Structure formats: C-alpha cells, structure tokens
Amino acid sequence: MPSTATSAFTGVAIEFETLAEQRPYLMKVARLELRDEHLAEDCVSDVLTQAFEHRAKFRGDSSLRTWLTSILKNRIIDLLRKQWREQPLDDAPSGDQEIDNLFDETGHYAEMPSHVRDPAELCQEDGFLVAVQTCVDKLPKRIGQVFVLREVFGTDTKDLCKDLGLTSSNVWVQLYRARMLLRTCLEKSGFGNARTG
C-alpha cells in the first residue's frame, strides 16, 4: 500500500516522512507546554499518527506546520484538562512567596523594577531568547501552562476558561503572576536594566 495521499484541494502528496520532519519543532512546543519529556514524546507521536490518518483533510489553507501545531494544541489542551481534573490544586500556589517579596506591606514595590528596553531591541541581543525560554521553564507548572497557552499559542481567554475549567479572573491572576515572575527572572539574567547600546 503506498504511503502517500493526495489532498483534495492542493494536489500535494503528504508522506509520513514529510510529517515526521516537523517532529523536532512539535517536540519543542510540546516540551514547553507539558514540561514532561515522555508525555511530550507520546503527545507528538499521537499528533503525527492522527495527522497521517487524516492527511486527506489537509487543504493547504495554511502551512503544514501550522496545521500540525493546531492538532498539537488541541491534544495538549485535552491532556491539560484531564491533568487538571485529576490533580488537586497545590495548597499554596507555587510562586506566591516570590511575588509577595516584590512588594512591601503597603502594596508598593519593595524595589522598583528596572526600566524595560524596547522588546525588539532585546530580541536582537545575544542570549535574550534563551533567557526567556529558561525563565518560562522556571515558572510554576500550572502558571507556565496558562502563560504558554495564552501568549505562545494565542489562545483566547474565553477558550482557556472553557478548556481548562477556570474563571476569567483566575486566568488573569495566573497571567499576572507569570509576567511578574518572568520579569524578575529576566532582570536577574541581566536583561531588565536600562543599558544603552
């Protein structure tokens, strides 16, 4: 039996090898969100198998990578929904103490955050994107998952609430915590101070 199928709309034959070429990218995305190498590996394998079985549905309206990432995003949301239902919330949300230390008893910054330079300028700086990835990896698991779904995948807040069973205020609190922790982490990495060229 041949290993290709022709898309009804584009006439492009999609071979399994073509799908498998996207594996490293999909693994990077899955690791970022799931924070578990084995779970990411299983998830990506499922996505590639599902994509191959349904390859005739690929119409070519988007790139193959976009189509696969969309399948991956849905699979990840299913996994997170299941995990969040089965695992109780931590007694004390991880990261709260670190956030509390940023403020004094009056609710003002204990130490003012440094000036943030232009994000486009920061992205050109050696090591910045690596520092961002490292800082995202250090976020508490659930806060990191919500942050990545919202800011990396671009998931709408309403969809996050529906998909993960969260209230909108809970989503915004988790996003706020993520941003505060990321800012602190990036400052410690030397990317928050007001250096000039």
Side-chain angles (χ1 to χ4, degrees):
M1 182 171 177
S3 64
T4 62
T6 303
S7 170
F9 294 92
T10 62
V12 175
I14 300 177
E15 298 179 10
F16 189 78
E17 291 76 18
T18 304
L19 295 172
E21 288 172 1
Q22 299 298 320
R23 184 180 198 80
Y25 172 78
L26 297 173
M27 280 298 298
K28 184 176 178 182
V29 172
R31 275 190 211 104
L32 177 67
E33 184 58 46
L34 297 171
R35 299 172 181 217
D36 180 313
E37 184 71 22
H38 299 295
L39 193 56
E41 191 69 51
D42 289 346
C43 185
V44 169
S45 293
D46 288 349
V47 166
L48 291 174
T49 300
Q50 182 183 355
F52 185 68
E53 289 171 356
H54 300 283
R55 62 196 179 275
K57 293 182 180 178
F58 178 63
R59 300 187 320 234
D61 294 338
S62 60
S63 71
L64 182 62
R65 178 174 284 185
T66 301
W67 182 62
L68 291 171
T69 303
S70 166
I71 296 170
L72 178 62
K73 176 184 169 186
N74 290 330
R75 178 75 177 118
I76 287 172
I77 287 172
D78 289 343
L79 286 171
L80 292 180
R81 188 182 302 127
K82 183 178 181 214
Q83 280 181 353
W84 285 34
R85 267 196 317 261
E86 293 174 357
Q87 296 174 3
L89 286 171
D90 301 333
D91 292 335
S94 180
D96 281 358
Q97 183 63 42
E98 195 171 340
I99 292 171
D100 289 343
N101 291 339
L102 297 175
F103 303 98
D104 62 23
E105 60 280 351
T106 65
H108 294 91
Y109 279 110
E111 184 179 322
M112 284 300 290
S114 60
H115 173 74
V116 178
R117 291 175 287 145
D118 176 37
E121 176 189 324
L122 280 171
C123 286
Q124 299 301 316
E125 200 166 313
D126 288 341
F128 177 70
L129 296 178
V130 172
V132 169
Q133 178 66 54
T134 300
C135 290
V136 168
D137 289 344
K138 289 180 182 178
L139 289 174
K141 187 171 182 177
R142 290 190 178 199
I143 291 173
Q145 289 171 333
V146 170
F147 179 81
V148 170
L149 283 172
R150 177 74 174 94
E151 302 301 338
V152 176
F153 283 136
T155 305
D156 185 78
T157 304
K158 286 182 184 177
D159 292 335
L160 274 177
C161 294
K162 181 182 75 165
D163 292 337
L164 300 177
L166 301 173
T167 65
S168 60
S169 61
N170 189 266
V171 168
W172 290 112
V173 166
Q174 292 195 43
L175 290 172
Y176 172 77
R177 289 178 178 161
R179 291 177 183 122
M180 294 298 289
L181 292 171
L182 286 172
R183 181 177 190 151
T184 302
C185 180
L186 287 169
E187 284 181 352
K188 288 178 184 174
S189 300
F191 290 101
N193 46 10
R195 293 194 307 251
T196 53

